[in-house]
Amino acid sequence: QVELVESGGGLVQAGGSLRLSCAASGSISSINAMGWYRQAPGKQRELVATIASGDRKNYADSVKGRFTISRDNAKNTVYLQMNSLKPDDTAVYYCNANALEWFRGVDYWGQGTQVTVSS
């Protein structure tokens, strides 16, 4: 019921910056919160940042101070500004939306966008 499309990934050198975008479509009014997760090869998917009602934001300790999550409600788009990138940030980044459907929260995921940071 919610579709997420990510863009903005790429290859950068350490210290560089990227901005990821996630455009949502479908039952937009049902979305409670959105966020970004990442998964490195051979590792579990981990939370990077979330944004909820009242512009409440949360960040993983590993990215706090370097990454910023934001949203443009008019465009139904969430962004992740990534600065001072490190090789450890290399991963597939996934956009997430938590939607209220039939009185229960349901998670939707984008297809993922690759971020590679060279040393």
Side-chain angles (χ1 to χ4, degrees), residues 45-84:
R45 188 173 299 185
E46 64 176 355
L47 183 147
V48 177
T50 61
I51 185 167
S53 61
D55 206 36
R56 295 176 295 161
K57 301 174 182 179
N58 290 289
Y59 298 94
D61 289 341
S62 60
V63 307
K64 198 169 186 178
R66 299 188 298 120
F67 291 10
T68 302
I69 188 170
S70 62
R71 64 186 174 196
D72 185 335
N73 291 330
K75 296 182 178 180
N76 297 320
T77 300
V78 171
Y79 304 95
L80 184 68
Q81 178 66 46
M82 304 184 294
N83 298 326
S84 302

